[in-house]
Amino acid sequence: MKNLTAFVFIFLIHFVSGQNVYLTKVEKTHDGTDRFLYKINEEIKDAEYLGEIEVQGFSKEDAEVFSLIYKKAKEIGANTFSLKPFENIDGSPQGFNPANYRLSLYYLPKEKLINQKGYIYVFASSDKDQKIAINKKDYMISPRSYFTVEIIPGEIYTLSTKKLLGSTIKIQPKESRSNQYFQISSAKVKADETGAGGLNLKSGDIIGLEKSYAEFLSTIYNKEKQGY
């Protein structure tokens, strides 16, 4: 009886804390084979609306959640997305709720994507404050937050976690390169097998993020007003 009670208790905890991803609307499908899933804003006017995803429940395992979203999006051929806020009774958009949100899915020809460049994105982990120094300037990032640093082409940027056994990396962005994305974390992260939404360039606790996953994080994380 004790074992049964323990099993039910563990199941309920998992159920309450779990996060489910549903493809709630399919307007049409597309035969696109693009492996990326980028966030779009002004490009929406040129995008073909395909459907909608809803995420229910909260989870700190953001990479796993994105992997589920990615698979659902590819079921209908989507290669881009945007946040679709829920509305209040008066029609105004509700604030973002990480435990329940919607994403609109689109197909957009790659040549119509706006090449975003000129910034370094730095994300904290999902569960604790993270300290980082960029060119000897210290920053403290709250959990599930990020900030951006505008880059000067050709300048060297040194990112350091300022820990005894922490990491330091140097990057020198070129003028033609797109944004670069990093997450500060001491946890081990497993790359996605598809290569889309996965993680790479791991150097200790500074992890280089693939663009699709980074743009998803920039959608569900808070942007802090710091950087230079």
Side-chain angles (χ1 to χ4, degrees):
M1 187 66 181
K2 285 185 177 181
N3 291 337
L4 177 60
T5 303
F7 173 80
V8 172
F9 179 71
I10 293 172
F11 174 79
L12 288 174
I13 290 177
H14 176 76
F15 179 80
V16 171
S17 62
Q19 193 162 34
N20 297 307
V21 177
Y22 300 103
L23 188 59
T24 55
K25 184 182 296 185
V26 177
E27 190 76 15
K28 60 178 68 174
T29 61
H30 198 280
D31 294 331
T33 57
D34 296 321
R35 298 188 68 186
F36 62 83
L37 185 64
Y38 295 158
K39 179 173 67 174
I40 55 175
N41 295 304
E42 56 264 41
E43 301 104 314
I44 288 177
K45 65 182 184 298
D46 297 318
E48 182 180 7
Y49 176 76
L50 300 183
E52 187 177 298
I53 277 177
E54 183 170 341
V55 179
Q56 298 178 358
F58 177 77
S59 172
K60 292 182 179 180
E61 304 301 327
D62 298 313
E64 293 181 8
V65 174
F66 178 70
S67 179
L68 293 174
I69 290 173
Y70 178 87
K71 291 174 182 177
K72 293 289 186 183
K74 293 307 171 183
E75 286 180 10
I76 60 174
N79 65 1
T80 47
F81 72 92
S82 68
L83 181 67
K84 182 179 181 180
F86 289 103
E87 295 182 348
N88 294 308
I89 297 177
D90 61 2
S92 61
Q94 295 181 8
F96 179 75
N97 177 4
N100 188 205
Y101 56 90
R102 296 181 297 183
L103 301 175
S104 294
L105 302 175
Y106 304 88
Y107 175 79
L108 181 70
K110 192 172 184 178
E111 61 272 14
K112 292 188 177 182
L113 284 166
I114 296 174
N115 184 29
Q116 301 175 350
K117 58 183 180 179
Y119 289 90
I120 296 172
Y121 281 66
V122 182
F123 297 88
S125 69
S126 63
D127 57 358
K128 63 180 180 179
D129 291 344
Q130 301 287 335
K131 180 182 287 187
I132 186 172
I134 302 180
N135 289 356
K136 297 183 179 181
K137 183 176 181 180
D138 293 343
Y139 300 91
M140 183 66 74
I141 322 175
S142 302
R144 306 186 71 79
S145 296
Y146 73 99
F147 69 92
T148 61
V149 175
E150 188 171 5
I151 58 178
I152 300 173
E155 182 171 331
I156 297 175
Y157 292 83
T158 302
L159 284 66
S160 173
T161 54
K162 297 177 68 66
K163 298 177 182 177
L164 180 62
L165 299 177
S167 303
T168 298
I169 63 172
K170 294 179 182 291
I171 57 175
Q172 188 174 14
K174 297 179 180 179
E175 187 172 358
S176 60
R177 294 191 64 179
S178 300
N179 293 336
Q180 297 194 43
Y181 309 92
F182 298 93
Q183 187 168 31
I184 313 305
S185 175
S186 58
K188 294 181 179 179
V189 182
K190 182 179 179 181
D192 182 78
E193 294 178 357
T194 66
L199 313 178
N200 48 40
L201 301 178
K202 182 170 182 180
S203 175
D205 45 12
I206 298 179
I207 306 167
L209 302 182
E210 188 272 333
K211 182 178 178 180
S212 293
Y213 179 58
E215 292 194 344
F216 168 68
L217 290 186
S218 72
T219 303
I220 66 171
Y221 278 22
N222 297 316
K223 184 177 182 180
E224 296 188 346
K225 294 180 180 180
Q226 52 182 317
Y228 63 91

